[in-house]
Amino acid sequence: MSLPAADAVESPRGFAAVRALAGADMARVDALIRARLASDVVLINQIAEHIVGGGGKRLRPMLHVLAARAAGYEGTQHVQLAAVIEFIHTATLLHDDVVDGSDLRRGRKTANALWGNAASVLVGDFLYSRAFQLMVELDRMRVMRILADTTNAIAEGEVLQLLNIGNPDTDEAAYLRVIERKTAVLFAAATELGAVLAGLPEAQEQALRHYGMELGYAFQIADDLLDYVSDADTLGKNVGDDLAEGKPTLPLIYALQTARADEAAALRRAIESGGLESLDRIVAAIRDSGALERTRARARRHADAARAALATIAPSPWRDALAALADHAVERTS
């Protein structure tokens, strides 16, 4: 499969243009995902199709496709690796929703709300194992090592987040350790593997990994910000879910540092007990503290670092698409 000439492809501006640029590859990825989801166990098909077909942006597999193209890769293995990355991500969503007791994702009922916790966990396990089947088919030890290490780190992140729930003394460093493992490492693996497939030198390989890591930080910090500035219809989940689950995300951590004593006490109680009884007051306290602006600025710094990491990658529309995704990570509303 030959790459189009770089001067024949317009550099994308905005997320819709990025998706269009990746469209042909992503159509192949989607077809492979659906083909490899198939099981003779009906419940697996139902749950897997519910979550995979749930209207997600396929951001992580798209990152891999774009990184591979930006690295100059002209083969077809990026399609299979993109499917692997989506299966791993989807498995984590199934498990996350069970742990968090979530009943809404992307504006739809979660799998655990429809089929129960046990079925969701087991189908998540199926997706993990299917991801590793696809991975082994490529027969590339370096690829398998990166994805095995990534999957292990994601599990560590889930446990770290569990330890932080209900703890108002969680600081920024602890929060960042969680989102590094829960979110950023899969972004980093997706982009690094594009360089691995293309056989780029180590310096460029690490540059693409660094881009993915910084983008993952920016994306998750912005996501946590949206929990306090968006609405359920736009966000696709219940506003205030993080607070209801007792998760001390960055807006709360920053607010606790600068809020008045009475507001800080209310914030601490909300984190310790969870629930949404005082949501309006809590959101007002967060806004008054300047925490939202600080959180947005922190996300922007990571996005800028992601863009800067692309400097060693040869100019192309695909590199421009990766840069555009850094902006999208902090400017999006859902």
Side-chain angles (χ1 to χ4, degrees):
M1 185 186 304
S2 298
L3 287 171
D7 57 3
V9 181
E10 184 177 349
S11 292
R13 297 180 180 178
F15 187 69
V18 172
R19 291 186 76 169
L21 180 65
D25 279 331
M26 289 305 297
R28 299 183 188 96
V29 173
D30 284 345
L32 181 61
I33 284 171
R34 281 179 162 74
R36 299 306 293 264
L37 274 177
S39 168
D40 58 7
V41 179
V42 174
L43 183 59
I44 289 176
N45 292 331
Q46 290 174 330
I47 295 177
E49 176 58 31
H50 174 78
I51 191 166
V52 170
K57 296 176 180 177
R58 299 274 202 274
L59 179 58
R60 292 152 185 84
M62 186 168 65
L63 270 174
H64 173 66
V65 162
L66 291 170
R69 292 306 201 187
Y73 181 65
E74 297 186 19
T76 61
Q77 290 187 338
H78 66 308
V79 172
Q80 190 148 332
L81 268 181
V84 169
I85 289 162
E86 182 66 3
F87 281 153
I88 291 172
H89 175 57
T90 304
T92 68
L93 296 186
L94 284 165
H95 290 168
D96 280 354
D97 287 341
V98 170
V99 172
D100 296 340
S102 300
D103 60 6
L104 192 66
R105 180 179 288 279
R106 298 169 183 161
R108 306 166 76 219
K109 284 285 189 181
T110 56
N112 51 296
L114 293 171
W115 288 280
N117 288 343
S120 292
V121 169
L122 293 173
V123 173
D125 292 344
F126 167 83
L127 290 174
Y128 270 131
S129 60
R130 182 52 52 90
F132 276 78
Q133 286 178 323
L134 282 166
M135 190 192 314
V136 169
E137 287 174 11
L138 295 176
D139 195 25
R140 296 183 64 157
M141 180 58 70
R142 180 83 191 288
V143 168
M144 288 188 283
R145 182 177 294 110
I146 289 170
L147 285 169
D149 290 346
T150 298
T151 306
N152 188 255
I154 292 170
E156 289 179 333
E158 293 289 353
V159 176
L160 283 173
Q161 179 170 268
L162 186 64
L163 293 174
N164 288 345
I165 288 177
N167 179 12
D169 295 317
T170 301
D171 60 14
E172 186 173 353
Y175 163 81
L176 291 172
R177 283 194 295 272
V178 169
I179 68 170
E180 176 187 342
R181 290 166 174 81
K182 277 202 62 183
T183 302
V185 292
L186 189 55
F187 279 62
T191 51
E192 180 183 12
L193 286 168
V196 170
L197 287 185
L200 288 187
E202 184 178 356
Q204 289 177 300
E205 186 180 294
Q206 289 308 305
L208 276 173
R209 178 175 180 82
H210 183 59
Y211 162 84
M213 188 71 76
E214 293 292 343
L215 181 68
Y217 279 123
F219 183 89
Q220 188 59 57
I221 292 170
D223 202 59
D224 293 340
L225 176 66
L226 287 174
D227 199 52
Y228 294 99
V229 300
S230 191
D231 58 75
D233 290 338
T234 302
L235 191 56
K237 67 174 185 176
N238 296 317
V239 176
D241 269 356
D242 290 342
L243 181 64
E245 295 158 11
K247 291 181 181 177
T249 57
L250 201 56
L252 279 169
I253 292 168
Y254 281 161
L256 278 168
Q257 293 173 359
T258 58
R260 298 194 316 264
D262 60 325
E263 292 176 338
L267 289 168
R268 291 181 67 88
R269 286 195 299 272
I271 295 170
E272 289 170 342
S273 60
L276 299 175
E277 295 80 5
S278 304
L279 179 61
D280 290 343
R281 180 184 177 189
I282 295 302
V283 170
I286 292 172
R287 289 174 177 167
D288 290 345
S289 71
L292 299 182
E293 291 78 12
R294 287 182 67 191
T295 301
R296 187 175 288 109
R298 181 62 191 256
R300 170 48 67 186
R301 288 200 300 274
H302 286 290
D304 290 345
R307 290 180 65 101
L310 296 171
T312 64
I313 306 302
S316 72
W318 293 276
R319 190 188 73 170
D320 292 343
L322 293 173
L325 285 177
D327 293 329
H328 171 72
V330 294
E331 294 169 359
R332 64 199 172 92
T333 58
S334 63

